[in-house]
Amino acid sequence: MSNNNIDNHDENPEKISDKLKQISFNSVRKVLPDSAIIQACKTVAYKYRECKITPIVTVLHMILAAIWPEDSFNASWQVLWDTLVSRFAELNGQSPSRGKVSKARARLPLKLWHLLFKWICRKAQELSDAFDKWKGHRVVLLDGTCVSMSDKPELFKEFGKPTGFHGKCKYPLACLVTLCTANTMTVLNYALGRYDQDENTLARPLLKNLQKGDLLLADRHFAAAHFYWYYKSIGLEFLTKAHQRLKISRIKHITTYSKNDFICWLETNKNYRRKDSALPAKIMVRFIRTVVRDRGCRKVVWLVSSLLDANLYPAKEIAELDGKRWRIETLLKEVKINLSADVLRSLSPDGIRKEVAARLIAVNIVRVIMLEAAIECCVDTIRVSFVHAVRAKNGV
């Protein structure tokens, strides 16, 4: 039983909590209902007293803090409480202390946040499934980024910090790897690790949970023969930019569709084979040359893919598909800038992990609302503005 403290006021704390939930985030609560939060509490065996700051209220508060990026945790709580007082004047002066609000956040188990993320992820996928197919494959984007946080010793110890030309960084950094669908930008999964942790190491457990036949789009960080073999071994197709060190002119062609489109054997680095005896000596891949615009300039790029059949997968269509990869960069920008995850506010490692989970839950809640709006209005889901959707939801 969690030891939730209850202020001794005339108003029943349970009624205050009910009123708070009624006026806050009606649109969010339609997507993430109270029953889902209560069930998550039961699943992780988290018990609580019925008071002002129930798990439902705390989850709503964390989501508010995510989509109200200009405010702190305390300020977002004040927004929530002020809205309540504007409707129920008799509650004026009865707001729980900042310490109690902070303790309520800390008491919610990390496992509960993981369950809520999975729950909203399933709901978002149900809506996005019809939009995310390309030639029978669900297209999944993969990328990583870094997030910063307060300069607390325990956060430095947990996540680490970079060392550059100007010396050590003043703040801890964590590495965030994310998977999302290409056409709806629904977050499928994520991993948070130390700054110095390899993105491929963080991504590997996530990839195992994808569906057989999914088509993975990734940048050069995830491009190498041993990575390609791993993707195929777990049933995934792939499309990446060729690694910058690869000497494509030296590779012998097996099948040539054109001078800019051919199949060949890509050799696996011997060092990786020594570490993993299961790795084959080579893997068959397809190379496609295309021209892209990068910052206003034309640039030649080689793509590498497991989609070998030129009749089923024409080179031009593959090149156009690769153009969707930038969307995950847009998603990460939305998370870091629009939802203020570039500098996280929590002061403990678990708090950081909960905050990241809350922000990605908020992303998928917004995505569900956007998908429902797009379906109702018969418009392309990618044309609905994430920023506008967040602003529309900010009116509690």
Side-chain angles (χ1 to χ4, degrees), residues 50 52 63 84 109 122 150 195 221 235 246 270 272 307 349:
E50 286 295 340
K52 294 177 187 176
I63 293 173
L84 175 66
R122 285 194 297 269
S150 299
Y195 168 79
H221 293 295
L246 187 62
K270 294 180 180 179
Y272 290 109
L307 305 175

Side-chain angles (χ1 to χ4, degrees), residues 116-307:
L116 292 178
F117 174 79
K118 290 179 181 178
W119 192 94
I120 193 64
C121 182
R122 285 194 297 269
K123 187 164 186 175
Q125 286 184 77
E126 288 173 5
L127 285 172
S128 66
D129 187 62
F131 302 96
D132 284 319
K133 292 292 196 303
W134 179 81
K135 295 184 178 294
H137 303 281
R138 184 177 66 163
V139 183
V140 178
L141 310 179
L142 169 65
D143 205 355
T145 189
C146 289
V147 291
S148 182
M149 59 202 74
S150 299
D151 57 345
K152 299 296 180 182
E154 57 267 37
L155 297 180
F156 277 116
K157 182 178 179 180
E158 183 73 14
F159 297 108
K161 58 183 176 180
T163 301
F165 179 77
H166 297 288
K168 293 184 178 179
C169 182
K170 294 181 179 180
Y171 298 97
L173 290 178
C175 181
L176 175 64
V177 172
T178 309
L179 287 171
C180 78
T181 55
N183 288 342
T184 61
M185 292 161 70
T186 298
V187 180
L188 297 175
N189 213 336
Y190 72 96
L192 187 72
R194 289 180 56 85
Y195 168 79
D196 54 8
Q197 224 171 334
D198 182 52
E199 290 181 357
N200 286 283
T201 302
L202 288 172
R204 182 165 286 217
L206 307 182
L207 298 176
K208 288 182 179 179
N209 294 322
L210 292 178
Q211 301 170 8
K212 302 288 185 182
D214 280 352
L215 174 56
L216 184 69
L217 268 63
D219 64 16
R220 291 186 176 93
H221 293 295
F222 305 93
H226 58 290
F227 294 147
Y228 296 151
W229 174 83
Y230 178 72
Y231 304 151
K232 292 296 292 182
S233 71
I234 57 176
L236 303 180
E237 304 295 343
F238 60 83
L239 173 62
T240 76
K241 286 183 171 59
H243 196 279
Q244 60 269 25
R245 294 182 182 177
L246 187 62
K247 305 296 183 183
I248 297 175
S249 60
R250 299 179 182 178
I251 299 176
K252 185 177 180 180
H253 299 193
I254 299 174
T255 302
T256 301
Y257 299 123
S258 74
K259 65 178 182 179
N260 297 326
D261 183 6
F262 56 87
I263 296 174
C264 68
W265 287 108
L266 187 62
E267 293 186 1
T268 307
N269 188 297
K270 294 180 180 179
N271 292 329
Y272 290 109
R273 290 180 61 201
R274 278 194 287 267
K275 295 176 183 177
D276 185 356
S277 59
L279 281 174
K282 53 189 178 180
I283 181 171
M284 187 179 291
V285 298
R286 181 180 175 189
F287 282 87
I288 297 170
R289 182 181 182 273
T290 186
V291 178
V292 299
R293 295 194 70 84
D294 184 9
R295 300 178 183 179
C297 300
R298 290 168 58 85
K299 185 178 179 181
V300 174
V301 172
W302 280 98
L303 305 177
V304 187
S305 180
S306 60
L307 305 175

